Amino acid sequence: MKLKSTLLFFLVLTTFSCKKDTEDQTPTKSFEANADGIYISNEGGFTAGKASITYSDGTEAETIQDVFRIANDENLGDVCHSMAAINGLIYLVVNNSSKIEVVQPLTMKKVKTISGLTSPRFIVKATPDKAYVSDLYSNQISIINLTTNTVSGSINLTGSTEDMLLYNGKMYVTNLSTAFLYVIDAATDVVEDSIAIGSGGNSLQLDMNNKIWVLCGGDFVTSAPASLHRVDPATKTAELSLTFPTPDYPSQLCINETNDALFFLNTNVYKMQITDSTLPTTAFVDAAGKSFYAMGYDRISTLLYVSDAIDYQQAGRIYRYTSTGSEISGLPAGIIPGDFLFLNN
Amino acid sequence: MLLFSLNLSAQIDSSIQLRTVQINSIRNENNSTGLKQEKTDSLIKMISIDKSMGTVLSEQSPALVKNYGPGALSSVSMRGGSAYHTAVLWKGFSLANPMNGVMDFNLLPTFLFEDISIQYGGATAIWGSGAVSGVIHLNDNNTFINRNSLKVGSRYSNASGWANFIDGKFSIKNFSSSIKLFLTDEKNAYPFQQDDEMKKQVHAESKGSGLIAENTYSINTTTAINFNFWYQYANRNIAPVMTEAISNAVQRDRNYRYNITFTKDGNKGRFAFRNAYFNESLYYNDSALSQPSNSLCKTFISEPEYSYAFNEHHSIQTGINFTKINAITAEYNQEEEVIRESIYLSYRFQFRKLILSASARKEFNNYEKPPFAFSLGANYKMNSWIKLLANYSTVYRNPQVNDLYWQPGGNIDLLPETGYTYEGMIDLDLLHFARKIHNDTNAISIQLTAFNKNIDNWIAWTPHGILWTPGNIKSVHSYGSESVFIFRKQFAKTGIRLSAFYGYTVSETTSSEIPYDASVGKQLIYVPFHKAGGTFSVYYRKSIVSVNHTFTGVRFINTDNSDLLESYGLSNVQIDQRIDMKNNSLGAFFRIDNLFNTDYQSVQNRPQPLRTYSIGINLTFRQQKNHS
């Protein structure tokens, strides 16, 4: 009798255990944007494999999460680091999946997957038929053939190459692990110069006077401080260098629609005019404890988009500010919103 | 205590125990009045000889085991706390690496320890920093035996690979020694399912070796010296996550651990002078990244303890702990030294059916200024079959050395995590209720426990700008219940045994320093609300058949609870057979793990094996019986 009841107890336990108590997955539906809009890439957490794309027409009501998965019925991959619009297509750089997904705007339908990369960070068009891809670990810039969307070659460049900017036929490449801004001739793919700046260049912008501003985060190992430089592409020298106090780590250099005011993140959001000769000391937007992570400037609506990654383990939020720094309605995003692409023109 | 004997007793330990020298620590269950304690029983130990502590805890307790895959990291947390909240003590000395606070349960082969027990609840006043949600005690028996023995064994699993061990025990006059040695060589090239595709795990090879030598010299009937040495090495490739195409990461753990204890028994008192030295190295290299990381840590612990019984009702225990940690890695500015000193006192009162105890600890260190910790506990035997336990404790956990000094980000201003916990337990001996005799082979009992825990100043690394730094960022409230059911019955040469558990755990963030943090009011990530399991064994003469099943409920993987890992059930079945040959014996087992081919994840995107098979064999040689 006792044996029976014991066995029954075990059986009940086992049966109960086999039940799944999870909800069904969200049913797959097609995604079709009504109009061009704003795309937000969300990293999704390192190794989580939950990178995603948020689409928005600029209103919270028309903000749709995870549109890549909806359109293609598959996850985007691990850590989508950046996006670029090239030749009418959107390139999604999926860093820790070592790939770039090429998709159609509006539908988000996959056109091609570019593989054969190591740890891609940014893609920038170099000529009408090729683009460069920077990389954290491969010690080279990969060349993408934009006709076939395949890797067609590489350019050796030691260190962690990061953000890039094409100006006047030259690609200017920042490097997180050196104190130089590299110049590559986009026609010949030859590294033809390196311009001494601060350590850890992470972002750059071209201003109305055709000067290149480079923001450097510094170097934790050598304790080199962060800095901001104005580089003259004509003379290939930094004609203005401003140093941040340690241990500041500024990033995400953006420029406004008239190319005469810069924004960057340094815990808070800071704004400076290109004519300023000192770093701003008063925040443009005070983070007030929020985890500001990425920034993008919409040149059409002239709004500054700032993402809050909160604790990096939950859906983030986008805050939007006007040119005077006043906050307007925000937008919901995915986990660790890391880059913005404005296709609303 | 789930002791198990009869036919099995010979199989479990064929040597006759002459005397046990209590060396591990003066502090024991007597100080932990009112707390739930479980001892891993001999049968479970015997059928788990080739398993890691992580696997055994996962199968046998409501503790949450985060398992990154065969050969990889396995961490344990209890009662909705973090992995740092479970203290793992080897003879009373904490094993967690002081630099990162991590205890890898995959590097703890079960066979190394004769005596494994779990103490639930807060015990900071008794065991110090980190004993917040529970304590896992790893001890040996310190037993003098009259027959020297040697046991050798091997296991092969088609999921992982080879594990081999040798276990030798001998005693000469006043000296007893136990030496255990193991070698593992695991490919871990198992197939797994990803989406609808079958893949094979790569870059997960692991090689390990270890030696543990435990020696006791009994100077006279009241004085003994116990010297222990433990060497362990593990060289592991870190497998890629499902989302990564490849991984180049390699991790090497190398530990030397020594401890020496001198004990002297008096008429009413007992003195122990306990000392330990740990030298630990952790090497990690991901060739995709620029530079390898090498962490070296030397820990010296000295702990004089004294206990005194005034009479049958009143006793005290007191001691001083001195801990010095020297840690260095390229990510520190220099070699960092942390010194922690504490004093503790425990009082115990026993009167008829009631035991009361009160313990207190004050720690002094240069940085975190940990609070005064105390605990109050009561055991009350209401009648022959009902026992009641209750405990209230204040608890804390110091930051790790990396939290303080890691560059960039280390925060020297961190405070310890602090809080309080209370619990109550009812222990019902139903066999006794039915006026039958409860013993090692016949038992029906139920234990029901409810607990509550509040922790403030919870430490987590969060970004400030782009710089990650640890802070005291949130408060967490955990509560829940644990139920245990035990049934044992013996008929002639056949016996059956069932043990089952169910744990219900709620662990919520109650406040956060981060603005607009959606984790407030939500369950902590990776804490299942439900975990249940059971082991059912039938034995006949020298054969045993055991079935184990565990269920792990859904676990959230995002702090806003927007995404989760599915619940899963895992079953295994094992057959053990022993053949005796005069003094020697041959044992063999065959086991099927993940019997129903369940595709599951313990940690997000870390693949686990489907159904796997293991076969093991062991030989025990014993000295002829002599006259002692």
Side-chain angles (χ1 to χ4, degrees):
Chain A
M1 190 60 210
K2 266 176 204 133
L3 175 63
K4 268 185 195 163
S5 58
T6 309
L7 288 171
L8 193 71
F9 180 87
F10 191 69
L11 226 96
V12 167
L13 186 81
T14 313
T15 317
F16 159 73
S17 307
C18 292
K19 259 191 244 167
K20 295 230 165 145
D21 52 359
T22 54
E23 307 109 60
D24 290 333
Q25 292 277 318
T26 320
T28 305
K29 52 188 180 197
S30 66
F31 167 73
E32 176 83 58
N34 297 326
D36 284 344
I38 301 141
Y39 296 85
I40 305 159
S41 61
N42 307 291
E43 295 183 4
F46 186 67
T47 72
K50 292 287 170 75
S52 68
I53 305 295
T54 303
Y55 166 83
S56 178
D57 73 347
T59 65
E60 179 147 2
E62 273 303 306
T63 299
I64 307 163
Q65 306 296 338
D66 217 359
V67 294
F68 179 91
R69 195 179 60 76
I70 293 170
N72 300 291
D73 199 21
E74 65 176 67
N75 284 327
L76 175 55
D78 198 34
V79 186
C80 181
H81 184 260
S82 68
M83 298 175 284
I86 301 172
N87 297 351
L89 295 169
I90 299 178
Y91 287 68
L92 307 171
V93 183
V94 192
N95 173 261
N96 205 37
S97 299
S98 308
K99 67 173 184 181
I100 295 173
E101 294 286 4
V102 188
V103 298
Q104 292 281 1
L106 299 180
T107 64
M108 267 315 212
K109 287 280 183 204
K110 199 154 101 166
V111 175
K112 186 79 193 265
T113 302
I114 304 174
S115 52
L117 302 161
T118 304
S119 183
R121 297 284 279 184
F122 291 92
I123 180 166
V124 174
K125 185 176 171 178
T127 67
D129 54 10
K130 77 180 176 201
Y132 289 166
V133 178
S134 60
D135 198 290
L136 264 187
Y137 303 126
S138 71
N139 291 312
Q140 58 189 25
I141 297 277
S142 298
I143 304 167
I144 306 296
N145 178 328
L146 293 174
T147 314
T148 60
N149 281 318
T150 52
V151 177
S152 61
S154 63
I155 306 163
N156 289 338
L157 193 49
T158 304
S160 299
T161 50
E162 186 73 351
D163 206 355
M164 297 177 288
L165 183 136
L166 183 72
Y167 171 67
N168 212 6
K170 312 284 182 194
M171 190 69 84
Y172 292 83
V173 182
T174 63
N175 195 317
L176 292 172
S177 47
T178 71
F180 292 98
L181 179 67
Y182 296 88
V183 187
I184 302 174
D185 187 308
T188 62
D189 302 328
V190 171
V191 182
E192 58 178 30
D193 215 331
S194 54
I195 303 167
I197 50 167
S199 291
N202 60 39
S203 47
L204 73 180
Q205 294 291 347
L206 183 71
D207 75 10
M208 62 183 292
N209 303 321
N210 292 325
K211 299 291 170 72
I212 297 171
W213 291 80
V214 190
L215 187 58
C216 302
D219 188 322
F220 290 125
V221 179
T222 63
S223 299
S227 53
L228 178 67
H229 306 269
R230 189 176 71 223
V231 171
D232 184 351
T235 61
K236 295 196 169 62
T237 52
E239 54 181 27
L240 176 72
S241 291
L242 304 170
T243 306
F244 289 82
T246 47
D248 283 17
Y249 188 92
S251 63
Q252 303 281 320
L253 190 68
C254 295
I255 197 158
N256 69 350
E257 72 285 0
T258 46
N259 300 323
D260 59 359
L262 300 164
F263 301 91
F264 60 86
L265 269 184
N266 189 12
T267 306
N268 305 310
V269 180
Y270 291 87
K271 180 184 183 180
M272 69 181 278
Q273 301 299 320
I274 58 165
T275 49
D276 291 350
S277 55
T278 55
L279 291 169
T281 49
T282 316
F284 177 65
V285 176
D286 191 330
K290 292 194 280 285
S291 302
F292 282 165
Y293 184 69
M295 209 156 66
Y297 190 85
D298 180 358
R299 301 168 71 88
I300 303 304
S301 67
T302 72
L303 290 172
L304 183 68
Y305 282 63
V306 187
S307 77
D308 177 7
I310 309 178
D311 64 355
Y312 290 66
Q313 296 181 313
Q314 60 182 280
R317 177 118 193 125
I318 309 302
Y319 293 89
R320 297 190 291 182
Y321 303 95
T322 66
S323 56
T324 59
S326 50
E327 186 182 338
I328 67 153
S329 64
L331 300 171
I335 294 169
I336 319 178
D339 197 23
F340 300 92
L341 185 63
F342 302 100
L343 294 181
N344 46 347
N345 46 344
Chain B
M1 296 279 266
L2 320 174
L3 283 172
F4 192 81
S5 61
L6 279 191
N7 291 350
L8 291 165
S9 63
Q11 189 165 346
I12 292 154
D13 188 350
S14 64
S15 304
I16 298 161
Q17 299 186 356
L18 295 180
R19 62 177 180 272
T20 299
V21 183
Q22 214 268 348
I23 296 281
N24 295 318
S25 170
I26 286 179
R27 283 163 291 165
N28 52 35
E29 50 268 24
N30 286 349
N31 301 76
S32 310
T33 311
L35 292 176
K36 175 182 170 180
Q37 319 222 10
E38 281 175 356
K39 216 172 187 84
T40 305
D41 79 56
S42 328
L43 175 82
I44 298 297
K45 269 223 66 188
M46 198 197 76
I47 64 174
S48 305
I49 195 158
D50 66 313
K51 294 178 182 173
S52 75
M53 281 289 300
T55 307
V56 173
L57 288 170
S58 168
E59 290 173 353
Q60 305 295 340
S61 82
L64 166 70
V65 180
K66 274 175 80 180
N67 174 6
Y68 288 71
L73 174 70
S74 173
S75 71
V76 169
S77 56
M78 294 160 71
R79 291 187 167 176
S82 75
Y84 307 114
H85 293 168
T86 302
V88 183
L89 306 178
W90 178 49
K91 297 170 192 290
F93 297 106
S94 176
L95 285 179
N97 183 307
M99 293 176 80
N100 58 24
V102 171
M103 182 71 245
D104 186 348
F105 281 73
N106 221 340
L107 298 184
L108 294 176
T110 310
F111 115 94
L112 286 184
F113 314 101
E114 322 245 300
D115 181 359
I116 298 165
S117 65
I118 310 173
Q119 180 188 301
Y120 294 79
T124 310
I126 297 154
W127 297 108
S129 167
V132 170
S133 299
V135 180
I136 293 167
H137 293 275
L138 307 174
N139 288 316
D140 67 277
N141 282 338
N142 295 305
T143 304
F144 283 82
I145 51 172
N146 70 343
R147 295 172 71 193
N148 297 335
S149 68
L150 181 71
K151 187 171 183 175
V152 294
S154 272
R155 176 270 277 152
Y156 179 76
S157 153
N158 74 330
S160 49
W162 286 100
N164 310 291
F165 70 89
I166 302 174
D167 178 356
K169 287 180 172 58
F170 69 95
S171 300
I172 310 164
K173 290 185 177 173
N174 295 330
F175 182 74
S176 90
S177 183
S178 157
I179 295 174
K180 300 191 185 82
L181 182 74
F182 74 89
L183 281 169
T184 55
D185 185 358
E186 303 187 327
K187 290 268 180 291
N188 296 319
Y190 54 88
F192 67 91
Q193 197 170 326
Q194 182 169 2
D195 303 322
D196 297 324
E197 215 180 314
M198 285 307 292
K199 293 190 172 178
K200 195 167 194 179
Q201 182 63 293
V202 292
H203 198 73
E205 298 83 355
S206 83
K207 283 191 179 189
S209 56
L211 169 76
I212 197 162
E214 295 163 313
N215 312 290
T216 303
Y217 179 64
S218 206
I219 298 166
N220 54 44
T221 52
T222 61
T223 315
I225 291 175
N226 177 252
F227 172 74
N228 307 296
F229 168 67
W230 179 2
Y231 163 79
Q232 191 161 342
Y233 179 73
N235 186 355
R236 298 184 276 185
N237 286 339
I238 308 297
V241 183
M242 281 177 173
T243 54
E244 295 172 323
I246 51 156
S247 164
N248 297 305
V250 177
Q251 182 177 328
R252 291 199 280 270
D253 295 76
R254 194 268 301 135
N255 302 318
Y256 292 97
R257 299 181 176 113
Y258 307 83
N259 72 56
I260 183 162
T261 295
F262 169 85
T263 48
K264 173 80 185 162
D265 286 319
N267 191 19
K268 290 180 166 180
R270 179 183 176 84
F271 172 74
F273 186 42
R274 295 156 36 72
N275 299 281
Y277 173 74
F278 295 165
N279 181 319
E280 297 167 273
S281 141
L282 173 65
Y283 171 87
Y284 184 87
N285 188 13
D286 188 341
S287 66
L289 306 173
S290 48
Q291 57 176 18
S293 157
N294 205 359
S295 299
L296 297 166
C297 191
K298 295 169 192 168
T299 310
F300 173 72
I301 306 164
S302 186
E303 205 172 57
E305 289 183 308
Y306 184 68
S307 69
Y308 187 81
F310 296 96
N311 51 42
E312 60 187 289
H313 302 305
H314 304 278
S315 63
I316 58 157
Q317 296 186 358
T318 185
I320 296 165
N321 177 290
F322 172 84
T323 301
K324 179 169 158 290
I325 300 159
N326 288 82
I328 188 160
T329 166
E331 284 75 18
Y332 292 175
N333 288 333
Q334 65 212 19
E335 180 178 297
E336 301 292 354
E337 182 173 280
V338 174
I339 292 174
R340 295 181 169 136
E341 292 155 308
S342 44
I343 180 163
Y344 55 88
L345 176 68
S346 188
Y347 164 72
R348 188 169 187 268
F349 170 75
Q350 182 162 10
F351 186 73
R352 292 185 182 169
K353 295 172 172 178
L354 179 70
I355 301 170
L356 296 172
S357 77
S359 303
R361 169 179 292 258
K362 179 60 195 163
E363 178 176 334
F364 306 90
N365 71 44
N366 308 344
Y367 312 103
E368 306 102 345
K369 298 177 182 61
F372 173 76
F374 71 93
S375 83
L376 299 169
N379 286 9
Y380 179 63
K381 200 164 163 39
M382 221 165 97
N383 55 38
S384 62
W385 64 283
I386 302 177
K387 205 156 68 178
L388 301 173
L389 288 80
N391 183 282
Y392 179 94
S393 296
T394 65
V395 291
Y396 67 85
R397 196 271 291 189
N398 286 324
Q400 309 306 326
V401 185
N402 284 355
D403 294 336
L404 300 172
Y405 294 113
W406 191 268
Q407 293 302 327
N411 179 1
I412 197 74
D413 299 321
L414 271 184
L415 298 169
E417 296 176 343
T418 53
Y420 61 91
T421 168
Y422 54 87
E423 65 183 279
M425 183 169 109
I426 179 163
D427 191 342
L428 305 172
D429 180 352
L430 297 180
L431 202 63
H432 216 116
F433 176 62
R435 301 185 187 285
K436 300 253 175 73
I437 295 178
H438 173 118
N439 58 29
D440 289 344
T441 49
N442 292 291
I444 308 174
S445 66
I446 291 175
Q447 291 178 348
L448 303 168
T449 313
F451 66 89
N452 183 81
K453 183 174 62 194
N454 288 74
I455 303 290
D456 292 327
N457 289 331
W458 187 286
I459 297 170
W461 284 68
T462 54
H464 287 240
I466 205 154
L467 177 72
W468 287 69
T469 186
N472 297 105
I473 63 155
K474 61 181 177 180
S475 299
V476 172
H477 177 212
S478 314
Y479 60 92
S481 65
E482 286 143 5
S483 318
V484 174
F485 175 73
I486 288 161
F487 179 87
R488 295 196 288 264
K489 179 73 185 160
Q490 170 90 20
F491 324 84
K493 287 172 179 170
T494 307
I496 60 168
R497 181 189 171 285
L498 169 76
S499 64
F501 65 87
Y502 167 67
Y504 171 70
T505 311
V506 177
S507 193
E508 293 175 346
T509 305
T510 49
S511 68
S512 166
E513 295 288 309
I514 304 167
Y516 311 102
D517 187 348
S519 74
V520 174
K522 302 279 172 41
Q523 180 86 341
L524 293 197
I525 58 168
Y526 282 107
V527 177
F529 290 109
H530 309 282
K531 190 185 167 195
T535 305
F536 179 66
S537 305
V538 181
Y539 56 89
Y540 175 73
R541 289 170 180 248
K542 293 163 188 173
S543 313
I544 312 169
V545 179
S546 305
V547 182
N548 173 272
H549 183 85
T550 52
F551 167 81
T552 305
V554 296
R555 292 133 297 142
F556 293 110
I557 48 175
N558 293 333
T559 53
D560 55 359
N561 290 183
S562 59
D563 200 1
L564 52 77
L565 293 180
E566 301 267 356
S567 61
Y568 61 89
L570 286 180
S571 300
N572 67 58
V573 58
Q574 178 166 332
I575 300 166
D576 283 79
Q577 179 66 51
R578 182 173 57 99
I579 300 162
D580 286 335
M581 300 163 290
K582 286 188 180 170
N583 291 310
N584 306 325
S585 62
L586 168 71
F589 75 82
F590 173 68
R591 182 173 66 239
I592 307 173
D593 281 302
N594 195 355
L595 190 62
F596 299 112
N597 235 8
T598 305
D599 175 23
Y600 72 102
Q601 290 185 8
S602 170
V603 180
Q604 188 183 18
N605 293 328
R606 303 281 174 168
Q608 298 287 353
L610 296 170
R611 185 186 300 123
T612 59
Y613 306 91
S614 301
I615 187 161
I617 190 163
N618 63 70
L619 279 160
T620 308
F621 306 98
R622 287 179 207 94
Q623 198 185 20
Q624 294 271 337
K625 278 180 189 169
N626 55 18
H627 308 283
S628 59

